[in-house]
Amino acid sequence: MTTQTVLNSKVPEGAIADKWDNHKFDIKLVNPANKRKFKVLVVGSGLAGASAAATLGELGYNVEVFTFHDTPRRAHSIAAQGGINAAKNYRNDGDSIYRLFYDTVKGGDYRSREANVYRLAQVSVDIIDQMAAQGVPFAREYGGLLDNRSFGGAQVSRTFYARGQTGQQLLLGAYQQMMRQVHLGKVKIHTRSEMLDLVVKDGRAVGIVCRNLVTGDISSHSGHAVVLATGGYGNVFYLSTNAMASNVTAAWRAHRKGAFFANPCYTQIHPTCIPASDEFQSKLTLMSESLRNDGRIWVPRGHDDARGAADIPEGERYYYLEEKYPSFGNLVPRDVASRNAKTVVDQGLGVGPLKNGVFLDFSDAVARDGKDKIEERYGNLFQMYERITGEDPYSVPMRIYPATHYTMGGVWVDYNLMTTIPGCFATGEANFSDHGANRLGASALMQGLADGYFVLPYTIGDYLAPMLGEDPVSVDDPAFIQTEADAQGQIQRFLSTGGTRSPEHFHRELGKLVWDYIGMEREKNGLEKAISEISALREEFWADVRVLGNNESLNSSLEKAGRVADFFELGELMARDALDREESCGGHFRAEHQTPEGEAKRDDENFSHVSAWEWKGQDSPQVKNVEELTFEEVQLTQRSYK
Amino acid sequence: MSRRLNLTLKVWRQEGPAANGHFEVYKANEIPDDASFLEMLDIVNEGLIAEGHTPIEFPHDCREGICGTCGVMINGRAHGQEKGTATCQLHMRKFNDGDTIVIEPWRAAAFPIVRDLVVDRSPLDKIVEAGGYISAPTGTAPDANEIPIPKEVADSAMDAAACIGCAACVAACPNSAAQLFTSAKIWHLNSLPQGQAERYRRTEAMVETMEEFFGSCTNHGECSEACPKEISQDFIAYMNRDYIKSKVVNRRLAGQR
């Protein structure tokens, strides 16, 4: 494998606390009266997309938003439950911007870019102010001030929340701000429009090609810049906590047009999800990590213990997190909690009909605080659990098991959130920059909103300012015509393949390979196997996929086929990246690289870098480019949560 | 091993907004009772594809009861018989072996059918666009703790804000009225201190936009019954009060200009 360029992250000079302020002063501005001369295309309407669209509209830019949903407020940000971090220190418990920064870099196992993380911590405080002003009904104390809770992996209470529906409330806030701009004529929304490709001309992103999911029309849209706010790629696992339609297509097609894809092997397996119950399972449901604040995780000490949880005496219960990590206990970071659950289940100590879960027990919390208090905190989660499993978590412990939840990897961006294609930006989960190899709880909402409200609106001006007076490229340009033809060609190919197996079937098979070989624990042989098996399955997919119906009306099989095609290519790259990264860090755990205690063992000498993969055509392996990570502030240590 | 169900489905099939629709009968055999209602439809669809038939289009996405995408009439009831439950959270253990299940799209003139069980609910966005926000441009906000909000007020706002926009309220209403949706959106903002400046403008604009698309409320109460988030009809009363007041307040303000 050849390693090419060393990437320039364009991190500004100066002390870490001054970088962002200095940068805001140094970058070019677009005069308020000139902003209306620019058009920005925003793909995706979740937290990152809606907040960016609203703010860009407020600034005076002309914005067009594209979402495959029937309304922007369906985006999967809506499903985030637990909360959003901010370094407000309202609890007076020693939090600060620096501590949030430090925790995030450490939690990410020292694989994130320091300057980006610091900026994230800085703007986190503005996000809470902004969202409160918009009317987000955050939880409050009786005195009327905002309530906080502590959240997985943090030793301070810095998480703001709105019952168990924080993502929903924040998304509604951002959506409402965006709808205000629609009302004012600054933002135009295209619903049920799926981006199928990025249009690049003379090395710059000049627009996108979309398919109208209702009519099948392929259309071109031209702008001065394109923002990809299209979320993560967790559905490559088939079973994940992502929504059914979440996909990597927009980001992947940009990748194929020249945007490097960074650290695809950094995927997060969330420790508290409801275990799968059967082959028909279509998705896994997350139970907020906030439950770990009050629930105790355990399995029976004995194998094949058939007794009900209540009948197992205290001495025969194995509270494995509390025993192994006395100081953090049940609140260890997600990667640690997940791997330990896998360990006990692999040892045959799992619970439930398929022995594929561990208990999350609230009986102590109910005895301590009363059922009412627990219901107030987690009522909607308990209800959701009961709906899905038919069991009452107030009386029997929940069963949980890890599931894919978030992807730290994504499109490579510099400090300005611009990808390696000038004019193409990536925000929120779609980019890679802030969480390193593992994301802390309640930090995804923070990052999506930070990017959209407080970072991109500044940095995009630096790119646009020199383009003043240039019209967007005409959609009659050959670059658009060719891209449309390619998109059309793929659709026709799917409809005419006439195979025997549905896109759903292939997705499920792909997901099994990815979960087995590139899941919670990876090793060399498995990864090599994954590469050859995924590639073989992909060939079968192209030869044997069955897509019925037509292009000219709503056809979810057809939509799915395009998404699955991209998941195949991504899955293979994940395996290559995991194979190349001969170390363990955060969510990337290589069995060959662990400490005697079984913790992730990093190799800072050789892998303290971002791997940014470059597309070299369908038939050539991708080429790895490197961004070296330098740590000026945080001392690299072996993470320990003992 | 879970129980297996053999079911008969009567499903509304319609190729597009302009096409004529009809009921199609399908056998759904060996459905595990741990499956969700939508997973049951997945199984049926995989069977249809295997036999070369176009699968049933149905609305769904998060399958966690929060995105509001899903929603069909199940035996004539929006989201089915289980109270406070979106279609995706309804599980097959609530059905019996041998049941016949009638599945239809939301029925409302404001929601044209896109295909099969999928409808176009975009008028709801028009209502929000008319005024369902607090004008708070990025960067202008005071410290979040500067305006204390009594817990009861924040809780009440949250009760309203819990609406997922699925439109079951409209589908369940004999008049296809959207009062529950609109009032939940209005009360979320009107009840908060931050929402006061635009309170009456917002109310007037949103109610009147709603009336362009939807029927009138005659207090049947089917909306709250069908609502997967059990949003209270009280919000409709609050909305009506604010709407009447808006006619006075907004006129007086206009006269002052």
Side-chain angles (χ1 to χ4, degrees):
Chain A
M1 185 176 335
T2 48
T3 297
Q4 272 198 338
T5 2
V6 174
L7 289 157
N8 178 6
S9 58
K10 299 197 181 138
V11 170
E13 296 298 317
I16 193 132
D18 302 329
K19 283 181 194 289
W20 178 229
D21 286 343
N22 292 345
H23 189 64
K24 280 193 286 187
F25 183 75
D26 290 340
I27 56 180
K28 296 185 251 333
L29 294 173
V30 179
N31 170 320
N34 285 333
K35 290 198 173 84
R36 72 172 72 93
K37 296 173 185 161
F38 292 101
K39 192 201 256 186
V40 180
L41 310 181
V42 178
V43 187
S45 65
L47 286 181
S51 58
T55 309
L56 293 170
E58 287 163 8
L59 288 170
Y61 294 109
N62 293 302
V63 183
E64 294 199 28
V65 176
F66 300 81
T67 170
F68 57 70
H69 293 286
D70 66 333
T71 153
R73 73 189 126 86
R74 307 281 188 226
H76 197 57
S77 309
I78 207 161
Q81 297 167 355
I84 177 167
N85 287 330
K88 281 287 197 184
N89 194 32
Y90 282 163
R91 295 296 105 181
N92 193 30
D93 59 359
D95 198 11
S96 62
I97 286 169
Y98 199 88
R99 187 177 294 281
L100 175 55
F101 154 71
Y102 179 89
D103 287 354
T104 307
V105 173
K106 180 187 176 200
D109 220 356
Y110 311 99
R111 290 293 175 262
S112 47
R113 192 189 286 153
E114 269 193 346
N116 283 52
V117 179
Y118 196 89
R119 175 176 67 189
L120 176 68
Q122 277 178 304
V123 303
S124 70
V125 295
D126 301 328
I127 295 170
I128 301 305
D129 298 343
Q130 177 65 23
M131 300 319 283
Q134 289 172 7
V136 168
F138 284 119
R140 300 213 171 233
E141 310 264 14
Y142 282 102
L145 302 180
L146 289 159
D147 193 15
N148 292 105
R149 58 185 170 202
S150 88
F151 209 75
Q155 288 187 308
V156 290
S157 290
R158 62 160 73 102
T159 303
F160 295 79
Y161 65 101
R163 294 199 189 138
Q165 293 127 281
T166 317
Q168 179 201 24
Q169 293 310 313
L170 295 177
L171 181 64
L172 290 176
Y175 155 79
Q176 289 168 350
Q177 294 307 303
M178 180 169 71
M179 293 312 279
R180 176 169 165 259
Q181 294 306 311
V182 172
H183 184 68
L184 296 170
K186 293 308 292 179
V187 173
K188 185 169 183 239
I189 296 177
H190 302 263
T191 56
R192 296 196 199 267
S193 291
E194 178 162 29
M195 170 178 156
L196 291 185
D197 215 340
L198 182 74
V199 182
V200 178
K201 183 178 161 70
D202 302 330
R204 287 169 175 250
V206 296
I208 60 172
V209 164
C210 289
R211 178 171 178 268
N212 179 311
L213 301 183
V214 177
T215 63
D217 286 343
I218 303 282
S219 59
S220 287
H221 304 267
S222 172
H224 292 91
V226 175
V227 180
L228 303 177
T230 50
Y233 51 87
N235 268 348
V236 67
F237 287 89
Y238 184 74
L239 284 182
S240 84
T241 65
N242 284 186
M244 302 299 287
S246 300
N247 67 77
V248 76
T249 288
W252 194 255
R253 306 276 168 107
H255 171 56
R256 293 178 57 139
K257 285 290 174 78
F260 293 0
F261 207 94
N263 302 333
C265 78
Y266 292 167
T267 54
Q268 183 166 73
I269 313 291
H270 196 290
T272 51
C273 303
I274 302 176
S277 67
D278 208 339
E279 184 74 359
F280 60 78
Q281 189 100 20
S282 60
K283 76 156 276 162
L284 296 170
T285 301
L286 178 81
M287 290 283 104
S288 169
E289 174 161 48
S290 60
L291 294 170
R292 285 202 275 148
N293 285 336
D294 284 304
R296 297 181 69 193
I297 294 173
W298 62 279
V299 288
R301 284 193 189 275
H303 288 253
D304 300 317
D305 197 325
R307 291 173 292 181
D311 301 324
I312 300 177
E314 202 61 24
E316 294 173 40
R317 297 177 174 195
Y318 180 24
Y319 294 94
Y320 56 91
L321 290 178
E322 295 175 21
E323 284 184 25
K324 285 171 80 172
Y325 308 96
S327 112
F328 279 71
N330 294 301
L331 292 175
V332 291
R334 293 177 171 179
D335 54 337
V336 179
S338 294
R339 234 174 13 253
N340 278 280
K342 177 177 162 55
T343 306
V344 293
V345 168
D346 287 352
Q347 285 166 0
L349 300 176
V351 299
L354 301 178
K355 297 198 165 299
N356 62 349
V358 298
F359 284 131
L360 178 60
D361 194 340
F362 290 88
S363 47
D364 287 356
V366 170
R368 183 186 66 224
D369 297 340
K371 191 183 163 189
D372 288 353
K373 199 79 198 163
I374 297 300
E375 188 169 356
E376 190 187 314
R377 276 180 211 148
Y378 311 114
N380 64 322
L381 298 172
F382 277 39
Q383 188 188 42
M384 184 155 76
Y385 182 87
E386 193 273 334
R387 295 258 194 287
I388 292 170
T389 61
E391 293 171 1
D392 172 22
Y394 293 104
S395 50
V396 291
M398 281 185 181
R399 288 176 293 113
I400 54 162
Y401 195 63
T404 305
H405 175 58
Y406 187 87
T407 53
M408 285 73 67
V411 182
W412 187 88
V413 289
D414 63 15
Y415 190 73
N416 291 326
L417 304 183
M418 189 152 82
T419 69
T420 48
I421 305 173
C424 177
F425 294 78
T427 59
E429 191 180 350
N431 76 25
F432 87 104
S433 63
D434 295 0
H435 306 296
N438 176 52
R439 179 175 65 73
L440 291 182
S443 284
L445 300 178
M446 172 173 70
Q447 188 223 334
L449 291 172
D451 287 358
Y453 277 131
F454 297 106
V455 180
L456 182 85
Y458 291 97
T459 60
I460 203 168
D462 192 52
Y463 172 77
L464 295 173
M467 295 170 81
L468 186 63
E470 288 177 32
D471 285 330
V473 174
S474 160
V475 293
D476 298 326
D477 189 276
F480 279 98
I481 307 277
Q482 183 58 47
T483 312
E484 277 194 25
D486 293 345
Q488 198 71 260
Q490 189 184 53
I491 286 165
Q492 289 317 318
R493 181 169 175 187
F494 285 134
L495 288 168
S496 60
T497 301
T500 61
R501 286 172 280 171
S502 68
E504 191 75 14
H505 170 91
F506 281 105
H507 190 189
R508 199 183 296 256
E509 294 300 309
L510 169 67
K512 281 183 198 154
L513 293 175
V514 177
W515 178 251
D516 286 347
Y517 299 126
I518 329 173
M520 267 187 283
E521 192 172 303
R522 297 124 183 217
E523 51 94 31
K524 186 165 181 286
N525 289 338
L527 292 169
E528 283 168 349
K529 230 170 159 173
I531 294 170
S532 68
E533 290 186 19
I534 290 173
S535 144
L537 188 63
R538 187 183 67 221
E539 279 176 30
E540 286 179 42
F541 167 79
W542 283 104
D544 193 36
V545 69
R546 170 178 284 192
V547 179
L548 302 169
N550 58 30
N551 175 48
E552 287 74 29
S553 70
L554 191 67
N555 187 341
S556 34
S557 267
L558 180 59
E559 295 163 23
K560 177 113 203 186
R563 296 167 189 167
V564 174
D566 295 328
F567 279 137
F568 271 113
E569 293 176 359
L570 166 77
E572 203 176 317
L573 183 64
M574 277 170 67
R576 285 187 196 285
D577 186 42
L579 192 59
D580 174 73
R581 190 166 281 279
E582 287 278 0
E583 65 161 351
S584 295
C585 55
H588 169 62
F589 191 82
R590 282 286 298 268
E592 301 94 329
H593 303 288
Q594 47 185 307
T595 65
E597 297 157 316
E599 302 297 342
K601 190 171 163 209
R602 292 194 322 271
D603 175 355
D604 292 331
E605 203 171 313
N606 295 305
F607 288 98
S608 185
H609 63 241
V610 176
S611 306
W613 298 86
E614 181 178 1
W615 179 260
K616 286 288 183 186
Q618 184 74 66
D619 304 315
S620 322
Q622 314 210 4
V623 169
K624 177 179 161 183
N625 299 273
V626 161
E627 177 198 339
E628 292 299 338
L629 294 171
T630 46
F631 293 89
E632 291 168 2
E633 291 293 324
V634 179
Q635 185 86 39
L636 275 64
T637 54
Q638 168 69 42
R639 284 194 310 165
S640 172
Y641 294 95
K642 293 274 169 190
Chain B
M1 193 63 186
S2 56
R3 197 164 56 104
R4 303 273 152 166
L5 307 174
N6 292 317
L7 307 161
T8 304
L9 308 182
K10 287 187 179 171
V11 183
W12 188 257
R13 302 296 309 257
Q14 183 170 333
E15 283 191 9
N20 285 326
H22 64 282
F23 279 108
E24 196 79 55
V25 179
Y26 300 102
K27 291 281 172 208
N29 291 334
E30 291 291 303
I31 302 295
D33 77 340
D34 278 337
S36 70
F37 191 83
L38 298 182
E39 284 167 345
M40 182 273 290
L41 289 178
D42 289 340
I43 296 170
V44 170
N45 270 347
E46 285 300 295
L48 288 176
I49 293 172
E51 291 164 15
H53 301 301
T54 320
I56 304 160
E57 292 291 342
F58 59 93
H60 67 102
D61 195 29
C62 80
R63 300 201 176 189
E64 297 181 14
I66 192 75
C67 76
T69 309
C70 74
V72 290
M73 303 300 286
I74 301 168
N75 293 332
R77 300 184 69 164
H79 291 305
Q81 74 275 32
E82 197 178 356
K83 205 167 155 48
T85 305
T87 302
C88 63
Q89 298 292 286
L90 180 64
H91 278 66
M92 296 313 292
R93 66 179 74 89
K94 305 286 176 182
F95 293 87
N96 297 312
D97 191 34
D99 278 359
T100 296
I101 307 174
V102 181
I103 308 171
E104 298 162 88
W106 284 167
R107 290 172 302 190
F111 298 155
I113 290 178
V114 174
R115 190 185 173 101
D116 297 341
L117 304 173
V118 180
V119 300
D120 174 4
R121 288 166 285 191
S122 54
L124 298 183
D125 286 319
K126 296 275 178 213
I127 297 173
V128 175
E129 185 190 324
Y133 43 76
I134 290 169
S135 295
T138 309
T140 56
D143 185 89
N145 260 348
E146 206 146 284
I147 306 170
I149 303 176
K151 188 176 185 310
E152 298 77 5
V153 173
D155 284 349
S156 165
M158 181 66 217
D159 287 342
C163 166
I164 59 175
C166 66
C169 48
V170 177
C173 176
N175 308 331
S176 298
Q179 254 79 0
L180 192 66
F181 169 85
T182 311
S183 67
K185 295 293 168 196
I186 287 179
W187 190 249
H188 160 205
L189 303 172
N190 281 11
S191 61
L192 293 170
Q194 291 92 331
Q196 295 312 304
E198 294 163 300
R199 180 172 186 162
Y200 296 104
R201 257 174 72 134
R202 168 188 307 122
T203 307
E204 190 175 19
M206 289 176 77
V207 168
E208 289 174 7
T209 305
M210 171 188 80
E211 286 176 342
E212 284 174 32
F213 295 95
F214 297 95
S216 300
C217 173
T218 47
N219 297 318
H220 281 261
E222 296 288 345
C223 49
S224 285
E225 271 303 299
C227 177
K229 298 294 154 187
E230 301 181 78
I231 290 184
S232 161
Q233 270 180 280
D234 292 355
F235 298 132
I236 300 180
Y238 300 156
M239 172 179 78
N240 289 341
R241 188 190 61 190
D242 276 12
Y243 179 64
I244 291 166
K245 213 168 162 191
S246 78
K247 287 292 167 192
V248 179
V249 175
N250 291 348
R251 193 165 50 190
R252 192 174 63 222
L253 289 173
Q256 284 170 342
R257 263 187 225 129

